[in-house]
Amino acid sequence: MESTSLRFLFLTLSCLFLLLLLLTLSGPHLTSPPRPNSLLCTRFSPWCFPNPTIKSHPFSSHAPSTSHEADFPVHPLDPLTIQEIHLARSLLFSHPPFSSSPSSLSIHSLSLLDPPKPQVLSFRRGSSPLPPRRALAVVRFRSAAYVLSLDLSDRSITHHPVPASGFPTLTLEDMTTSIWTPLSDPLFNRTIQARGVRLSDLACLPISLGWFGKQEEGRRLIKIQCYSTEGTANFYMRPIEGLTVLVDMDTKEVLEISEKGKDIPIPKSANTDYRYKVIGTSANKVKPISIEQPMGPSFEVVDNHWVKWAGWDFHIKADARAGIVVSAVGIIDPESGIRREVMYKGFASELFVPYMDPTDAWYFKTYMDAGEYGFGLQAMPLVPLNDCPRGAYYIDGVFVAADGRPYVRENMICLFERYAGDIAWRHSECPISGMEIREVRPKVTLVARMAASVANYDYIVDWEFQTDGLIRIKVGLSGILMVKGSAYSHMNQVPNGEEMYGTLLSENVIGVIHDHYITFNLDMDVDGVDNSFVKVKMARQDTNGESPRKSYLKATRHVAKTEKEAQIRLKLYDPAEFHVINPSKTTRVGNPVGYKVVPGGTAASLLDIQDPPQHRGAFTNNQIWVTPYNKSEEWAGGLFAYQSKGEDTLAVWSERDRPIENKDIVLWYTLGFHHIPCQEDFPIMPTVFSSFDLKPVNFFESNPILRQPPNMEKDLPVCAAAAAA
């Protein structure tokens, strides 16, 4: 045992030496995050994956790997460049009180501070000067948090109020150092060895602990749970159940070790691997398929962030917290040829993932993946030909480490056209009409995609643009379940009435029931900034004997005047449509132009609203909210979500009941999933998708794709099939 511990200590010191050496050699230039040489590195961190600045794949439409050193902004919403990050870092390090001890400064986020909305809307590419570039920094210095705006032109710094509770998003360094902390505790090491796990086979995760009372206030805490990697890459299926370590992230102290699973065996590694090189292929393998575009794609990417396709144009970028951010969305009207505004900005504001197990080692697992860990920070480089098809265009993210140095997450977003044999519109006349009519149009869409690997779970987020003006926002769930070790290997061993909190998936493995909620911030600007929210309620109307019919469906429109009138809980037997309209713009026959949200993924939280996790996640109390535009109200779970009490959430803001009629308004929609695990989810889950739509409603004068041409054989490539085996 002692030799194992000494070997592990040597590895630890070696990793720290390499880390310091890399930072020293990197100087002020662009760096990639260092990668510890151990299985104990956090699975929330890119350091467990290939270097994010690897060369592009040969099938990528991305230029060869670039440092982005020469990038410069050309649009007001372009992300901070490498040079701007260096400047911002220099300003922070020379600013009192940080200048007294720069090594004590930890940068939790550093990103573009968007210019005022009117300046962005008035900007014209090629003819307007850029508004002054500013950065927003969230930092911690000697245990105190600061929110600062940095003017990169005059180099001034402005301090802003700090939220009353909570802490900033974890840095990757926070997570990595936290999972090393328990190794300094002899009791932890003895406990691991007593459970039959070698330290060299140990993998640990940093787990946010939510907020459950005053005893957790005043200290930045995190809980560590561990797994055995012996015999498998899928260590998530081998939990050291019941062992939880409470760590102070600032002092790097072990505060408590809870061991409630001594009698629970570690599940076996058999049949847990999912890697192609290990498990091979199944007998019913399908033949390869690819959509070829010999004339190239129909979309164009200008200056790496401005996208044009089929009348659409929009700005797209990677964000450390939100992932994909889509902005300045407009579409050219096919009748008038005029560009019309649809949406100012859209992004995933927060993800709330509560697990439904109230026991000691599980009750706190109520994650806010964007606000606690950074949804974009967890985005991994997309895999060409599998994450995205041949011919996709890739966009990198440029993020900032805790020491303020920039690094590149390559191939974080991809753009591609999708055709899956779907139909845009069709009509065939039946024989009795005497007309030989068969008119069909294929549906081709444009997809912007990212995939985030938040530890065990993988999220796929698609923004899909259709030629008919519809925008579909789709989320896919895949990856690996977070499972619980169990003493049971068969259901016949489970006593009647015992609560398992999930499903027995394999011997000694329980998949715990949980929910996923993804709340989107959608700043709709339909034909202009001032919009209204309309609830179109559908209800049965009786005919009162005036017709052979007894009843029919009637639609009644109600314009919401204040926020509370726009708080919507979806009900199957109380149907309605939900429109965002511009009351000052109408069609030629007098209908107000608008877009409607078409709900999907409608699972709703069943937790008690006073349950601490639900209080923090109260933005999921409704599926739809509408708020007046406020630049400071972007994050549904609050700016400081980590260990927050829920005092700065969408639900709190909306209680002000502010006017929203004919105002600049923001629509919030929450996609919800209930997940009761099943054996088909083991050892890795087939992807489950759900989506909602933003659909034109009286926005166009008629079908906007009426004149779309059909496919003709002469226009399509001829691909020779491979010879049969």
Side-chain angles (χ1 to χ4, degrees):
M1 292 298 182
E2 288 184 5
S3 62
T4 302
S5 299
L6 289 172
R7 184 170 67 254
F8 194 85
L9 178 61
F10 173 76
L11 285 172
T12 302
L13 294 173
S14 299
C15 287
L16 292 174
F17 172 77
L18 289 172
L19 186 150
L20 291 171
L21 179 63
L22 180 56
L23 289 177
T24 302
L25 293 175
S26 64
H29 304 294
L30 174 67
T31 66
S32 298
R35 292 178 289 161
N37 182 27
S38 170
L39 289 170
L40 277 161
C41 59
T42 165
R43 263 56 188 185
F44 287 96
S45 162
W47 305 336
C48 292
F49 295 85
N51 188 312
T53 56
I54 56 173
K55 295 289 184 180
S56 296
H57 192 281
F59 290 123
S60 165
S61 294
H62 194 291
S65 180
T66 174
S67 69
H68 293 273
E69 288 277 6
D71 288 357
F72 58 91
V74 296
H75 187 277
L77 298 177
D78 280 356
L80 293 179
T81 65
I82 296 292
Q83 298 304 322
E84 288 174 327
I85 292 170
H86 286 319
L87 173 58
R89 179 178 185 266
S90 175
L91 293 176
L92 286 170
F93 279 28
S94 60
H95 180 70
F98 316 140
S99 56
S100 65
S101 179
S103 62
S104 301
L105 182 66
S106 177
I107 298 175
H108 288 253
S109 69
L110 180 62
S111 60
L112 177 75
L113 178 59
D114 288 358
K117 188 172 177 179
Q119 292 185 15
V120 178
L121 292 174
S122 64
F123 177 80
R124 296 293 178 267
R125 297 174 61 83
S127 60
S128 301
L130 279 177
R133 297 281 285 177
R134 295 188 298 164
L136 181 67
V138 176
V139 305
R140 297 187 79 250
F141 181 74
R142 293 176 174 167
S143 300
Y146 297 81
V147 179
L148 312 130
S149 58
L150 292 69
D151 191 309
L152 302 181
S153 300
D154 66 19
R155 307 196 174 191
S156 62
I157 295 181
T158 303
H159 288 244
H160 299 281
V162 173
S165 72
F167 296 101
T169 304
L170 297 176
T171 66
L172 298 174
E173 290 79 357
D174 282 334
M175 292 181 263
T176 303
T177 56
S178 294
I179 52 91
W180 286 82
T181 298
L183 294 165
S184 64
D185 189 288
L187 176 59
F188 173 80
N189 291 335
R190 289 197 300 270
T191 303
I192 292 297
Q193 292 167 346
R195 296 290 292 268
V197 178
R198 294 174 298 189
L199 292 177
S200 58
D201 290 330
L202 198 63
C204 295
L205 293 180
I207 300 175
S208 59
L209 70 168
W211 182 86
F212 290 92
K214 292 185 178 296
Q215 71 276 10
E216 297 173 352
E217 293 181 13
R219 305 182 78 168
R220 244 177 17 121
L221 305 175
I222 198 163
K223 292 190 174 181
I224 308 299
Q225 294 185 335
C226 299
Y227 304 78
S228 171
T229 65
E230 184 182 9
T232 181
N234 192 353
F235 62 91
Y236 299 103
M237 292 297 148
R238 306 202 69 209
I240 305 172
E241 188 57 46
L243 177 62
T244 306
V245 184
L246 181 64
V247 169
D248 185 312
M249 285 187 280
D250 293 326
T251 65
K252 299 183 175 50
E253 294 177 83
V254 172
L255 302 179
E256 178 184 315
I257 297 177
S258 174
E259 166 65 300
K260 299 291 179 70
K262 294 178 181 178
D263 298 327
I264 299 175
I266 295 173
K268 295 178 180 179
S269 62
N271 302 317
T272 61
D273 215 312
Y274 51 86
R275 294 170 296 171
Y276 179 76
K277 65 181 182 181
V278 175
I279 62 175
T281 60
S282 61
N284 59 345
K285 181 177 69 173
V286 298
K287 296 178 180 178
I289 185 170
S290 179
I291 303 299
E292 305 304 323
Q293 295 178 290
M295 292 186 289
S298 299
F299 66 88
E300 178 185 7
V301 182
V302 181
D303 299 320
N304 207 38
H305 295 290
W306 191 256
V307 182
K308 298 179 179 181
W309 177 79
W312 286 105
D313 59 5
F314 56 90
H315 187 274
I316 188 169
K317 66 180 177 184
D319 182 84
R321 182 161 178 170
I324 290 180
V325 177
V326 174
S327 305
V329 180
I331 190 169
I332 295 175
D333 190 302
E335 295 286 335
S336 66
I338 296 173
R339 183 186 187 274
R340 301 171 66 186
E341 298 171 60
V342 174
M343 182 171 63
Y344 179 69
K345 192 175 184 181
F347 58 93
S349 177
E350 191 53 270
L351 295 86
F352 178 44
V353 187
Y355 280 76
M356 304 303 167
D357 185 336
T359 58
D360 181 75
W362 281 80
Y363 74 90
F364 53 88
K365 295 181 181 179
T366 55
Y367 307 103
M368 290 190 183
D369 286 333
E372 293 176 339
Y373 296 105
F375 195 41
L377 291 178
Q378 312 311 320
M380 296 295 111
L382 295 163
V383 180
L385 302 184
N386 292 282
D387 276 325
C388 312
R390 189 194 301 267
Y393 181 94
Y394 293 85
I395 297 173
D396 299 341
V398 177
F399 298 144
V400 182
D403 65 356
R405 299 177 193 273
Y407 64 93
V408 175
R409 177 59 44 77
E410 190 170 80
N411 290 8
M412 177 177 158
I413 298 170
C414 73
L415 291 162
F416 62 91
E417 287 172 296
R418 169 186 281 150
Y419 174 61
D422 294 328
I423 297 168
W425 66 261
R426 80 174 318 281
H427 179 67
S428 295
E429 269 300 325
C430 63
I432 61 173
S433 70
M435 292 186 286
E436 288 283 338
I437 296 177
R438 288 187 216 145
E439 293 285 337
V440 188
R441 302 294 183 271
K443 175 184 280 190
V444 178
T445 63
L446 178 70
V447 177
R449 170 173 293 169
M450 66 160 277
S453 298
V454 188
N456 54 305
Y457 250 99
D458 288 58
Y459 293 87
I460 303 105
V461 178
D462 285 358
W463 285 77
E464 184 172 14
F465 295 83
Q466 298 188 179
T467 53
D468 59 2
L470 182 144
I471 304 172
R472 175 162 294 156
I473 298 110
K474 183 162 69 171
V475 175
L477 307 180
S478 188
I480 301 167
L481 287 171
M482 182 165 281
V483 302
K484 179 176 184 174
S486 170
Y488 306 126
S489 59
H490 195 280
M491 285 300 296
N492 61 15
Q493 299 170 345
V494 182
N496 288 334
E498 179 171 323
E499 178 60 73
M500 295 177 61
Y501 307 110
T503 306
L504 190 66
L505 304 177
S506 185
E507 290 79 2
N508 309 114
V509 176
I510 292 175
V512 177
I513 297 168
H514 57 283
D515 288 345
H516 298 265
Y517 301 102
I518 305 94
T519 298
F520 286 87
N521 176 314
L522 306 161
D523 182 1
M524 303 297 293
D525 279 2
V526 180
D527 253 351
V529 170
D530 293 334
N531 290 174
S532 295
F533 180 76
V534 181
K535 181 178 180 180
V536 184
K537 185 175 174 59
M538 291 174 275
R540 187 184 70 200
Q541 190 79 9
D542 296 331
T543 61
N544 298 318
E546 296 175 359
S547 167
R549 291 275 298 273
K550 291 185 178 294
S551 61
Y552 62 98
L553 188 68
K554 181 179 180 179
T556 305
R557 299 167 61 87
H558 173 73
V559 179
K561 298 187 181 301
T562 65
E563 290 176 273
K564 288 187 177 179
E565 292 182 26
Q567 295 176 2
I568 305 297
R569 292 187 179 186
L570 299 173
K571 300 175 183 176
L572 183 62
Y573 287 99
D574 186 15
E577 287 193 353
F578 309 102
H579 299 186
V580 176
I581 65 164
N582 187 326
S584 64
K585 302 284 182 69
T586 59
T587 63
R588 70 174 185 273
V589 297
N591 291 312
V593 301
Y595 262 71
K596 66 180 178 181
V597 57
V598 182
T602 56
S605 179
L606 303 178
L607 296 179
D608 188 311
I609 60 172
Q610 298 305 319
D611 195 347
Q614 189 60 37
H615 185 67
R616 297 176 68 234
F619 51 89
T620 64
N621 288 348
N622 300 306
Q623 282 78 47
I624 296 174
W625 310 72
V626 179
T627 60
Y629 173 79
N630 184 325
K631 193 174 179 180
S632 68
E633 297 176 359
E634 286 197 318
W635 308 110
L639 178 63
F640 286 9
Y642 197 90
Q643 285 182 252
S644 69
K645 300 181 190 176
E647 299 168 328
D648 180 31
T649 69
L650 170 59
V652 173
W653 310 331
S654 191
E655 277 301 303
R656 301 172 196 165
D657 205 23
R658 296 162 290 187
I660 58 172
E661 184 179 10
N662 202 19
K663 303 285 186 184
D664 188 357
I665 58 176
V666 177
L667 174 74
W668 306 75
Y669 185 82
T670 296
L671 269 175
F673 299 78
H674 295 309
H675 190 176
I676 302 175
C678 59
Q679 285 187 240
E680 288 80 2
D681 294 330
F682 178 90
I684 195 165
M685 295 176 285
T687 305
V688 174
F689 279 101
S690 195
S691 64
F692 68 98
D693 296 342
L694 299 173
K695 186 178 188 300
V697 55
N698 302 315
F699 186 79
F700 299 106
E701 294 291 349
S702 61
N703 182 349
I705 54 173
L706 182 66
R707 293 180 174 84
Q708 176 180 319
N711 276 342
M712 299 292 185
E713 190 70 37
K714 65 182 179 62
D715 298 323
L716 301 178
V718 177
C719 301

